[in-house]
Amino acid sequence: MPSSVVVKNPLRVAVIGGDGTGPEVVAEAVKVLRAVSEREGFQIEFTEFDLGGERYLRTGEILPDEELERLKTFHAILLGAVGDPRVPPGVLERGLLLRLRFELDQYINLRPVKLYPGVQTPLADKGPEDIDFVVVRENTEDLYAGIGGWLKKGTPDEVAIQTAIYTRKGCERCIRWAFEYTRKRNKKKFLVLVAKTNVLTYGHDLWLRTFQEVAKQYPDIRTDYNHVDACCMWMVKNPEYYDVIVTTNMFGDIITDLGAIIQGGMGVAAGANLNPDPGGVSMFEPMGGSAPKYTGTGQINPIAAITAGAMLLEFNGYEQAAQRLYQAIQVVTGTKMKSQAAGKMGYTTQQVGDLVCEALG
Ligand code: IPM
Ligand code: MN
């Protein structure tokens, strides 16, 4: 939150292009961030890290401890994409992306769902004034904790267990941050807890009780509760009802894909993995995957990665520069690009990056 944000100059950013189209979209974000820093008069330095499927296939390494330690010395991380069809599912996701989120204790996954003017949504009769909310997803617990195992694996009697964990500390720090964020956002001042208390009667009861307790300290914030299934329905039927949602890791993962599609698709959806504590290192990423079929074709949309760059500025004390970039992005999506879908933008990946630089003025 702003109180703990110290402006860093030079701003030192670690860049993990990662897999597939990750490096291409991140290159555009880097280009645009350089342009913003020149116009706003601050220094920004980028250091590339060779992590992802290529390195794993070459050396067997996913995230060596020394690389992790080196990453901790940066102010922020910009990540492209993780996932390589040549590597079994889960290896890179768990070994790189989730390990970074956990080791850096990035306990907030912030995902804005905002329909920019001129961008097409699949929701009939909904426009930018209707689709403008933010999901605060807990990012370190739940089914993602990786707790479980097999018994009698590979036999007809096999048992598999995958346990969701929820801690008081984990849900409270996320919920508290969501209240602070709702206050700072200063729109509807309305925070909705999304969970499944009618079935997950232990873990989500802990979430609900914590939410209700913390809410007492924020009398200026209106609150509500939605079951996650109902939330999916409201996101489609009445997205204008939402301002800020706070939710658990697994449900946050699912509803933010729904959010991404109603805001115009994976080409525009970005997220921030935040460690808001003093000295915390946060990581910013486009939400789309590595899109192997578009790799190297210049057809992938870099807007999400560029938006992740804007979030990087916003959460590292460069609020004004961030706003300038958000404006430039909206000029390009609203008045230049034909579509936000890969291959249909009317421009190449690099041209979209150039357009955003121009729109910075
Ligand atoms: C996301 C992704 C990741 C997640 C995967 C790649 C592990 O889907 O960032 O939403 O589930 O968190
Ligand atoms: Mn996801």
Side-chain angles (χ1 to χ4, degrees):
M1 299 312 291
S3 53
S4 61
V5 169
V6 180
V7 177
K8 298 118 182 177
N9 196 3
L11 181 59
R12 298 177 53 251
V13 179
V15 178
I16 305 173
D19 300 317
T21 50
E24 296 160 53
V25 294
V26 151
E28 297 314 304
V30 166
K31 178 162 93 188
V32 168
L33 286 173
R34 283 213 171 95
V36 178
S37 73
E38 279 162 22
R39 288 168 179 68
E40 291 283 324
F42 66 92
Q43 306 278 315
I44 189 161
E45 291 171 8
F46 297 97
T47 305
E48 305 254 354
F49 280 71
D50 170 26
L51 295 168
E54 284 294 341
R55 174 153 176 190
Y56 175 67
L57 291 168
R58 205 172 63 237
T59 70
E61 295 166 316
I62 301 177
L63 177 58
D65 292 342
E66 338 50 281
E67 296 277 70
L68 176 62
E69 289 312 309
R70 216 152 65 82
L71 283 165
K72 287 181 185 167
T73 67
F74 287 81
H75 293 132
I77 301 170
L78 188 60
L79 174 71
V82 173
D84 186 316
R86 298 167 297 175
V87 179
V91 172
L92 298 169
E93 289 83 349
R94 193 157 271 294
L96 184 54
L97 178 63
L98 298 183
R99 179 147 183 250
L100 282 169
R101 288 177 182 170
F102 291 171
E103 295 268 5
L104 300 173
D105 203 20
Q106 294 163 341
Y107 58 88
I108 302 294
N109 193 330
L110 187 71
R111 297 187 161 178
V113 179
K114 187 174 166 67
L115 179 67
Y116 287 149
V119 172
Q120 222 187 332
T121 175
L123 300 188
D125 307 323
K126 298 292 177 189
E129 60 293 343
D130 303 306
I131 302 172
D132 182 5
F133 61 95
V134 178
V135 178
V136 177
R137 165 185 171 189
E138 200 287 325
N139 211 29
T140 60
E141 303 195 336
D142 201 352
L143 284 162
Y144 280 75
I147 293 177
W150 294 278
L151 191 65
K152 303 186 184 175
K153 189 178 178 188
T155 76
D157 296 327
E158 177 162 356
V159 179
I161 293 179
Q162 189 100 38
T163 304
I165 68 142
Y166 305 99
T167 68
R168 172 71 199 211
K169 177 184 161 186
C171 68
E172 185 171 342
R173 64 184 182 174
C174 176
I175 288 167
R176 198 171 284 287
W177 193 90
F179 273 102
E180 290 288 335
Y181 180 80
T182 307
R183 183 181 270 170
K184 175 175 178 254
R185 177 172 154 89
N186 199 21
K187 291 209 168 157
K188 295 183 186 131
K189 291 204 169 188
F190 179 47
L191 179 62
V192 177
L193 171 65
V194 169
K196 187 76 183 172
T197 55
N198 53 346
V199 175
L200 305 181
T201 49
Y202 308 117
H204 288 200
D205 181 67
L206 172 62
W207 267 78
L208 181 60
R209 279 184 283 115
T210 306
F211 183 74
Q212 288 166 341
E213 271 175 46
V214 174
K216 290 185 191 135
Q217 293 159 31
Y218 295 87
D220 53 321
I221 308 294
R222 266 186 321 123
T223 60
D224 203 350
Y225 169 80
N226 293 172
H227 291 318
V228 65
D229 44 355
C231 168
C232 291
M233 188 176 68
W234 296 127
M235 274 174 69
V236 171
K237 190 169 180 289
N238 294 106
E240 66 280 3
Y241 155 79
Y242 292 108
D243 180 22
V244 181
I245 289 174
V246 63
T247 191
T248 55
N249 203 348
M250 186 78 253
F251 291 167
D253 175 48
I254 298 165
I255 68 169
T256 54
D257 264 31
L258 179 53
I261 218 70
I262 68 173
Q263 76 176 116
M266 285 299 179
V268 291
N273 302 274
L274 302 175
N275 177 337
D277 297 342
V281 180
S282 301
M283 178 165 72
F284 302 83
E285 52 172 339
M287 262 179 65
S290 54
K293 83 170 188 194
Y294 291 110
T295 304
T297 66
Q299 294 184 78
I300 197 78
N301 189 347
I303 289 293
I306 295 169
T307 304
M311 295 181 84
L312 188 156
L313 295 176
E314 180 181 348
F315 287 95
N316 283 281
Y318 289 99
E319 182 81 32
Q320 185 187 306
Q323 291 312 325
R324 185 169 180 164
L325 180 47
Y326 287 127
Q327 288 309 319
I329 292 166
Q330 291 185 55
V331 167
V332 174
T333 55
T335 68
K336 307 273 183 196
M337 295 171 75
K338 290 206 192 87
S339 160
Q340 299 303 312
K344 298 184 180 150
M345 302 185 290
Y347 298 95
T348 65
T349 307
Q350 291 73 20
Q351 285 170 335
V352 171
D354 292 338
L355 286 170
V356 176
C357 291
E358 272 168 42
L360 287 167

